Amino acid sequence: KAGVTQTPRYLIKTRGQQVTLSCSPISGHRSVSWYQQTPGQGLQFLFEYFSETQRNKGNFPGRFSGRQFSNSRSEMNVSTLELGDSALYLCASSLGLAELQETQYFGPGTRLLVL
Amino acid sequence: EDKVVQSPLSLVVHEGDTVTLNCSYEVTNFRSLLWYKQEKKAPTFLFMLTSSGIEKKSGRLSSILDKKELFSILNITATQTGDSAVYLCAVYGDDKIIFGKGTRLHILP
């Protein structure tokens, strides 16, 4: 069974631009969660999508948004990029039956650098 | 404020030693605690703990949760160089998941 895939793997943007990251979950998984990982803050939860609806949300500003499609693929968008948005963005998928209480499988991540 | 604190932040031991990693938490409406291993890539799942006092075991790794004292430990016996990684503790509570900063474990041959 194929794992979680994320595209692109690497991205360089400049301040003020916007970016869209994509995540394809494991086949059969309906929940997709997004995380930001930085050396200073560690791994932080952004939001979770299930059945095309945002089910849970972390403490990030409104510049961070996402959506999920009917095939469970998810996209995350960051608008008006800031230098501090440079990070590894990880996506994780799970069956979604137990709302954040079940094993999540992580993708390889998208490394974003904001100049 | 919800938080997950891991200790120590880093640890260097020799191959064959036993290590204990700690995770304490203060999270509203605790639901479960998870341990992950992260090498130079995305985290991989180790254990999920929901009930207090029950030990989860997989080979040389084991973990236990104390819901009364709000902590968990991850134990690795007979360590090997392949165990070198960052070990992350995460707690699900109140509709979100919170990760600790991790313990960086380095095993010397």
Side-chain angles (χ1 to χ4, degrees):
Chain A
K1 193 185 261 190
V4 178
T5 58
Q6 292 185 245
T7 57
R9 294 293 310 279
Y10 303 92
L11 206 49
I12 300 176
K13 292 284 189 179
T14 56
R15 278 182 301 174
Q17 287 187 307
Q18 68 100 26
V19 66
T20 299
L21 312 181
S22 180
C23 172
S24 292
I26 291 172
S27 178
H29 284 191
R30 295 170 62 194
S31 169
V32 174
S33 297
W34 288 91
Y35 300 86
Q36 181 196 67
Q37 186 172 34
T38 60
Q41 297 298 319
L43 199 57
Q44 293 182 286
F45 173 69
L46 281 156
F47 29 64
E48 184 221 3
Y49 283 86
F50 177 78
S51 288
E52 303 177 62
T53 301
Q54 188 181 88
R55 187 162 64 173
N56 293 289
K57 189 177 187 304
N59 298 322
F60 276 79
R63 299 186 298 108
F64 293 81
S65 63
R67 59 178 176 167
Q68 187 180 35
F69 302 94
S70 58
N71 62 357
S72 295
R73 189 177 70 86
S74 177
E75 288 181 348
M76 190 193 91
N77 188 76
V78 188
S79 62
T80 320
L81 284 166
E82 300 176 1
L83 296 179
D85 296 333
S86 295
L88 178 67
Y89 289 88
L90 292 164
C91 156
S93 80
S94 65
L95 290 171
L97 303 177
E99 193 170 343
L100 290 183
Q101 296 182 67
E102 56 195 12
T103 304
Q104 293 186 321
Y105 298 87
F106 284 83
T110 294
R111 188 165 294 281
L112 172 65
L113 176 62
V114 182
L115 301 175
Chain B
E1 183 184 336
D2 292 342
K3 60 182 178 181
V4 176
V5 179
Q6 291 186 247
S7 63
L9 289 179
S10 65
L11 191 55
V12 181
V13 300
H14 286 96
E15 207 168 17
D17 287 350
T18 293
V19 297
T20 299
L21 311 182
N22 304 290
C23 175
S24 64
Y25 62 90
E26 291 179 29
V27 175
T28 307
N29 296 326
F30 171 90
R31 298 184 185 184
S32 62
L33 184 146
L34 292 87
W35 285 96
Y36 288 89
K37 177 182 181 182
Q38 185 174 26
E39 297 168 271
K40 293 180 182 177
K41 48 189 177 180
T44 53
F45 171 80
L46 293 174
F47 300 111
M48 179 166 71
L49 302 154
T50 56
S51 299
S52 199
I54 295 176
E55 183 180 15
K56 290 281 184 84
K57 192 171 171 63
S58 177
R60 298 177 294 102
L61 277 67
S62 63
S63 183
I64 196 162
L65 171 68
D66 186 328
K67 285 176 72 175
K68 182 181 176 185
E69 299 298 330
L70 307 182
F71 77 90
S72 173
I73 61 168
L74 175 68
N75 215 53
I76 309 176
T77 59
T79 51
Q80 302 170 357
T81 54
D83 296 327
S84 294
V86 174
Y87 290 83
L88 295 166
C89 169
V91 177
Y92 287 130
D94 201 21
D95 301 332
K96 61 178 178 283
I97 178 172
I98 301 169
F99 280 80
K101 295 287 178 69
T103 293
R104 184 173 295 278
L105 176 64
H106 186 65
I107 310 296
L108 298 171

